Amino acid sequence: MKRETVIVIDFGGQYNQLVARRVRECNVYCEIYSYKTDIEKIKAMNPKGIILTGGPNSCYEPDSPTYTKELFELGIPVLGLCYGAQLMMHILGGKVEAAPVREYGKTEVLVDKKDSKIFADVSEKTICWMSHFDYISKVAPGFEISAHTADCPVAAAENAKKSLYAIQYHPEVLHTVEGTKMLSNFVLGVCGCAGDWKMDAFVENTVKEIREKVGDGRVLLALSGGVDSSVAAGLLSRAIGKQLTCVFVDHGLLRKDEGDEVESVFGPEGQFDLNFIRVNAQQRYYDKLAGVTEPEAKRKIIGEEFIRIFEEEAKKIGAVDFLAQGTIYPDVVESGLGGESAVIKSHHNVGGLPDYVDFKEIIEPLRDLFKDEVRKAGLELGIPEKLVFRQPFPGPGLGIRIIGEVTAEKVQIVQDADAIYREEIANAGLDQEINQYFAALTNMRSVGVMGDERTYDYAVALRAVKTIDFMTAESAELPYEVLNKVMNRIINEVKGVNRVFYDLTSKPPGTIEFE
Ligand code: XMP
């Protein structure tokens, strides 16, 4: 069955992944491609609709990103957003110029064409998010203006006969109050998508695809206990049961009780049918990390040791047919394989395939999904909520939350402090609001007094940040009572700690982690 797809053509704007997510929220499958993608490739995908994103350029400059005019002649509905809208006008014979007034922020848009398909069930006056320095001063032939603002004569325009729509603002941003409605009007109303891309269907279809691909072959997966690899394990288990072997390396740098939690879900007592191998490598890691204080050196040791252990386990298992990975769609886009606004992270999953495992092919069952979709698939598969809604946890684990040398004693301190902190954040009902929060162990020891005794103990630092993309972040404004309670409990319950700090630093200049 060919699934209906809407394609987002990426011109380098900052909200491009959001556009695709909003389309997916309409239960329509959506993929992002760079504006450099050949039109033949787009045609071959036979999309139900095409969306052109925003971007930082001026479309009338000679070197700016552009696209062939043919795109608008395919008979496929096209929606241009911001730069995409200007480019559509520019290519089709309208005029785009530097605006006398730059519009930025929440702006009242007045709908002129009340029977426009894009504005079905949208208020006549509606707040939208504007961010542009150029404007459409003249629409292309065949287009009519469908909305305006006080400063912008063309907030939206359309050639309904040809199903071409241009929108100057950003409907994908939540500040555009009725933006989701407008996008769903395009995707369902104009493109005629059925909106049947749902997670239960995804799970069912993917299970079928895995079975066909794997046959009676064997699959190996490195399970970290994070959301992505756990959901991949759940899917593969449902598809092929014991043909799947998961190797879970407990490096002793996990959060409190986490190793046992992963084992209880995926191990022999758990609900999934698979071979589960837990490698208790705690001491091995502590030995390797002894005396090492430099953050990058620690990361390197932790990474290399993982490879070595995985290699050893893979050797014991012998040749497998497939190596599975929990790559998700943002990993694919960010590694430059999809869209234009590529931000290459050093710790994404895509690319470097391990050459130390004897396998024939790679299998990535979550490659098409956004994080929230991975979570939905996880729930669908019956993976416990606690695991599915885990906050991000770095690969090197507590190794980069213990400043200076890592020792078993320090790991225990930070595990206990962190568990208390997380418990109190959850008790205060703040766990959904904060994107990442944890306790770290500073390398500072100071004098204190407890009872009648002098202490000389460590200081714990608490971190809590709000962020959208983890590239920038602000420290969360936690209520004083919560902080105070956490401080009291940590001092009383965690041996070896006599001070607690709250980190107020934003990113930049700080990072989210401490090392
Ligand atoms: P920073 O500290 O760079 O963190 O502001 C941004 C996000 O990335 C995570 N992070 C890592 N994840 N390996 C990982 O898998 C790493 O070495 C690493 N360093 C940071 C961090 O938890 C945050 O979500």
Side-chain angles (χ1 to χ4, degrees):
M1 184 194 71
K2 175 89 184 80
R3 66 181 163 206
E4 41 182 37
T5 303
V6 165
I7 284 181
V8 169
I9 299 187
D10 184 350
F11 289 93
Q14 54 182 321
Y15 306 128
N16 301 344
Q17 286 207 25
L18 262 186
V19 177
R21 287 183 55 157
R22 296 279 171 264
V23 173
R24 297 249 189 126
E25 281 164 19
C26 304
N27 298 317
V28 173
Y29 182 69
C30 181
E31 285 186 0
I32 307 171
Y33 288 91
S34 160
Y35 71 91
K36 293 174 190 148
T37 307
D38 195 87
I39 186 140
E40 293 307 322
K41 188 169 172 191
I42 304 283
K43 274 160 63 180
M45 289 184 270
N46 193 22
K48 296 282 281 186
I50 295 168
I51 302 180
L52 313 180
T53 75
N57 302 79
S58 284
C59 64
Y60 46 81
E61 299 286 351
D63 292 334
S64 290
T66 184
Y67 211 81
T68 164
K69 192 176 177 184
E70 198 191 334
L71 186 77
F72 305 102
E73 294 159 355
L74 299 173
I76 299 171
V78 182
L79 170 65
L81 305 177
C82 197
Y83 183 84
Q86 295 168 0
L87 189 69
M88 181 188 286
M89 290 302 139
H90 179 71
I91 292 174
L92 297 176
K95 197 164 173 53
V96 176
E97 299 176 80
V101 184
R102 208 199 133 145
E103 277 188 306
Y104 183 81
K106 290 182 189 170
T107 309
E108 188 175 65
V109 167
L110 302 145
V111 175
D112 301 309
K113 188 171 189 287
K114 309 200 171 47
D115 62 347
S116 163
K117 284 189 176 175
I118 292 288
F119 296 120
D121 294 326
V122 170
S123 322
E124 281 177 34
K125 289 180 182 175
T126 185
I127 297 296
C128 298
W129 183 258
M130 284 284 191
S131 171
H132 64 120
F133 46 86
D134 284 342
Y135 81 122
I136 300 163
S137 55
K138 193 168 138 256
V139 296
F143 278 78
E144 75 180 296
I145 296 172
S146 53
H148 71 280
T149 73
D151 290 316
C152 179
V154 187
E158 63 186 55
N159 180 338
K161 235 194 239 152
K162 295 195 169 161
S163 296
L164 303 178
Y165 295 84
I167 292 183
Q168 179 58 70
Y169 49 84
H170 290 277
E172 69 276 23
V173 175
L174 287 178
H175 300 303
T176 297
V177 179
E178 294 173 279
T180 306
K181 180 81 211 148
M182 297 169 200
L183 284 172
S184 111
N185 282 343
F186 175 70
V187 170
L188 305 179
V190 176
C191 304
C193 292
D196 51 10
W197 158 256
K198 300 221 170 86
M199 274 308 120
D200 50 352
F202 168 83
V203 168
E204 203 181 304
N205 292 337
T206 310
V207 162
K208 238 187 257 158
E209 282 167 22
I210 294 172
R211 277 188 194 140
E212 273 166 29
K213 185 167 180 176
V214 171
D216 55 8
R218 293 208 301 160
V219 180
L220 179 63
L221 171 76
L223 180 69
S224 69
V227 181
D228 304 342
S229 64
S230 296
V231 175
L235 261 177
L236 286 157
S237 155
R238 184 172 290 185
I240 55 166
K242 290 239 168 6
Q243 286 164 259
L244 169 70
T245 299
C246 292
V247 173
F248 167 59
V249 178
D250 186 341
H251 53 25
L253 303 166
L254 297 167
R255 292 177 298 180
K256 189 170 176 162
D257 299 332
E258 211 159 60
D260 293 343
E261 277 165 22
V262 172
E263 183 169 348
S264 73
V265 175
F266 293 102
E269 310 294 319
Q271 79 232 57
F272 291 99
D273 182 26
L274 48 82
N275 296 306
F276 177 80
I277 298 175
R278 174 174 177 169
V279 184
N280 284 312
Q282 296 90 330
Q283 196 54 47
R284 189 165 160 174
Y285 274 87
Y286 300 153
D287 291 347
K288 282 272 170 195
L289 288 166
V292 184
T293 55
E294 208 276 314
E296 282 308 309
K298 282 158 62 175
R299 270 196 172 81
K300 205 160 161 237
I301 290 172
I302 296 167
E304 278 173 0
E305 206 50 26
F306 174 80
I307 291 177
R308 233 160 264 147
I309 293 171
F310 194 60
E311 185 178 22
E312 286 166 21
E313 293 305 316
K315 267 200 194 117
K316 285 186 214 158
I317 295 164
V320 292
D321 302 280
F322 298 89
L323 181 74
Q325 288 193 330
T327 314
I328 69 169
Y329 195 54
D331 300 330
V332 176
V333 177
E334 279 167 14
S335 60
L337 300 177
E340 183 55 27
S341 47
V343 187
I344 301 186
K345 280 201 211 159
S346 61
H347 39 256
H348 62 64
N349 301 320
V350 182
L353 295 182
D355 51 11
Y356 48 84
V357 178
D358 188 3
F359 69 98
K360 291 194 209 107
E361 226 184 299
I362 197 94
I363 188 165
E364 294 175 315
L366 307 176
R367 206 182 154 84
D368 291 339
L369 301 191
F370 283 107
K371 195 77 170 189
D372 48 339
E373 295 170 325
V374 174
R375 294 202 160 105
K376 278 190 204 151
L379 294 178
E380 195 64 41
L381 289 159
I383 297 174
E385 281 191 22
K386 194 170 174 190
L387 225 159
V388 166
F389 290 103
R390 253 176 58 134
Q391 49 167 326
F393 187 64
L398 301 180
I400 56 171
R401 291 182 182 171
I402 293 170
I403 300 171
E405 187 188 9
V406 175
T407 63
E409 181 214 358
K410 283 181 168 178
V411 169
Q412 166 111 43
I413 292 176
V414 76
Q415 277 180 339
D416 289 344
D418 183 67
I420 291 170
Y421 186 34
R422 284 187 290 132
E423 194 181 314
E424 291 303 331
I425 290 281
N427 285 344
L430 296 167
D431 49 338
Q432 298 299 316
E433 281 172 37
I434 310 170
N435 303 98
Q436 200 169 356
Y437 54 98
F438 56 85
L441 189 63
T442 76
N443 210 19
M444 184 193 101
R445 293 173 80 191
S446 64
V447 173
V449 55
M450 246 189 171
D452 293 329
E453 272 179 48
R454 176 186 185 278
T455 57
Y456 186 60
D457 284 333
Y458 285 109
V460 160
L462 304 176
R463 186 90 167 119
V465 295
K466 290 199 171 182
T467 171
I468 293 171
D469 54 10
F470 295 87
M471 303 289 173
T472 60
E474 277 178 34
S475 100
E477 251 184 71
L478 294 189
Y480 189 78
E481 315 83 78
V482 177
L483 285 171
N484 204 40
K485 184 155 188 210
V486 175
M487 178 276 295
N488 257 315
R489 282 195 58 195
I490 290 178
I491 301 283
N492 286 324
E493 296 172 36
V494 185
K495 211 169 145 264
V497 178
N498 67 356
R499 263 172 226 272
V500 176
F501 296 131
Y502 184 63
D503 182 1
L504 286 173
T505 322
S506 59
K507 172 184 177 176
T511 55
I512 295 174
E513 301 292 347
F514 276 60
E515 288 200 328

